[in-house]
Amino acid sequence: MDVYGLIGYPVKHSLSPSMHEAVYEELGMEAKFCLFPVEKGRVEEAIEGAQALGIDGLNVTIPHKKTVANLDIVTLQGIAEKIGAVNVLDFTENGIEGYNTDALGALKALKSRDVEVKGKEVLLIGAGGASTAISFQLASEGGRIKIANRTEEKAYKLAEKVSNVGKAEGYPLENLEELIDKSDILINATSVGMEEDRSLVPKEFLRSDLMVFDVVYTPLETRLLKDARSVGAKTVDGAWMLVYQGAEAFEIWTGEEAPVNRMNKALREKLR
Ligand code: NAP
């Protein structure tokens, strides 16, 4: 039996077991996806324990993503090093490898809607964990990134870091109308809209030729996405990012292609 899991705190509401176990069933794998609540200060011990137990792969979630990226026992792969956060650990013959598939998940979510990022003006609202992963990934794809955040210093700081891989500028949240006017893609990477009927973007700022992506997935159709759809804009919901980050993780762990549609179906059933 293969064993995969998630470390974080808390983890009990995670949707990952439903999504991954649907894949195991679809592919006829004998495998289980377990939730491991791990308190701050015990993360390194937990990872070494998982390795010793022969666990096949781990997801990492809040509040441990940055901590894991700074552990000497983890070798960072790809864009995880630039982002400074890890959400996937793979136990290999060469040691423990750390990846950031949140970043790739967001890019693939956009690509699944035929959205090309290269050369596009991308406005991200928020400068926390989700925005950091997405802005690095989209900047390295050739997107021209603008980051607007309530705490504006955080937007400037993140934009400065992202400038090492591509084009990025930071802004205060007050300039939204003007920033959206000049954007092709708008991404809400804040928690605003989660379990509430609220958006940081007034509907009148939206237009039909805008691509609108919300990282929030509870509810599946946030106020921002409702407003965007009502003006005829293309939309991508946060569940797609979650599905693609999970699919990437599965592929890292097994070397097999993940049945994305099955994962998506399982996740949406659970969310509804
Ligand atoms: P985080 O690191 O805590 O960052 C939160 C961000 O939201 C900050 O930029 C914060 O601004 C902003 N914010 C919060 N409340 C606000 C308000 N009332 N007005 C304006 N800005 C506000 O959180 P995170 O990890 O980036 O997560 C953000 C959201 O993304 C969460 O809903 C999470 O569930 C979702 N997420 C989704 C996926 C996915 O796969 N779909 C993956 C990761 C995260 P300040 O800096 O000013 O505080």
Side-chain angles (χ1 to χ4, degrees), residues 62 126-130 149-151 154 173 189-192 194 198 200 215-217 238 241-242:
I62 289 165
N149 196 49
R150 174 177 65 179
T151 312
K154 277 166 74 181
L173 207 52
T190 74
S191 46
V192 175
M194 190 167 80
R198 193 160 76 95
L200 290 170
V215 299
V216 172
Y217 51 83
M241 175 173 166
L242 199 57

Side-chain angles (χ1 to χ4, degrees), residues 2-203:
D2 294 339
V3 179
Y4 302 93
L6 169 72
I7 58 168
Y9 203 89
V11 288
K12 65 172 182 255
H13 299 300
S14 169
L15 298 159
S16 293
S18 315
M19 212 165 58
H20 283 280
E21 291 188 349
V23 176
Y24 307 154
E25 195 187 311
E26 170 103 357
L27 300 182
M29 287 170 63
E30 251 190 67
K32 186 104 195 103
F33 193 100
C34 307
L35 298 176
F36 301 112
V38 174
E39 288 176 26
K40 277 188 184 173
R42 304 203 67 179
V43 177
E44 184 164 12
E45 207 184 327
I47 294 170
E48 285 179 326
Q51 186 183 33
L53 288 169
I55 285 177
D56 296 278
L58 284 180
N59 268 146
V60 180
T61 190
I62 289 165
H64 303 323
K65 291 184 188 185
K66 281 190 193 160
T67 308
V68 170
N70 287 311
L71 294 177
D72 289 339
I73 55 167
V74 176
T75 309
L76 300 184
Q77 305 293 314
I79 205 158
E81 182 151 23
K82 299 230 162 53
I83 296 169
V86 160
N87 75 311
V88 173
L89 288 169
D90 192 24
F91 300 104
T92 75
E93 283 172 6
N94 302 324
I96 307 171
E97 298 182 340
Y99 296 81
N100 191 306
T101 69
D102 286 331
L104 208 51
L107 176 66
K108 290 208 161 178
L110 287 169
K111 290 204 162 167
S112 72
R113 297 285 279 130
D114 297 323
V115 177
E116 190 46 67
V117 172
K118 193 163 187 231
K120 295 281 168 63
E121 298 291 334
V122 182
L123 173 62
L124 277 130
I125 307 177
S131 180
T132 303
I134 298 170
S135 54
F136 270 102
Q137 184 74 54
L138 301 191
S140 59
E141 280 291 306
R144 302 155 72 87
I145 309 298
K146 298 187 223 88
I147 299 161
N149 196 49
R150 174 177 65 179
T151 312
E152 60 183 276
E153 296 73 33
K154 277 166 74 181
Y156 302 139
K157 234 174 157 173
L158 177 56
E160 198 185 320
K161 285 197 217 152
V162 175
S163 297
N164 292 320
V165 302
K167 199 167 169 350
E169 285 167 0
Y171 294 89
L173 207 52
E174 288 72 42
N175 297 1
L176 271 188
E177 184 169 16
E178 198 188 326
L179 289 171
I180 292 171
D181 271 349
K182 293 183 191 151
S183 300
D184 304 303
I185 301 171
L186 166 66
I187 303 175
N188 173 46
T190 74
S191 46
V192 175
M194 190 167 80
E195 315 284 359
E196 59 177 357
D197 189 30
R198 193 160 76 95
S199 166
L200 290 170
V201 182
K203 186 173 163 183

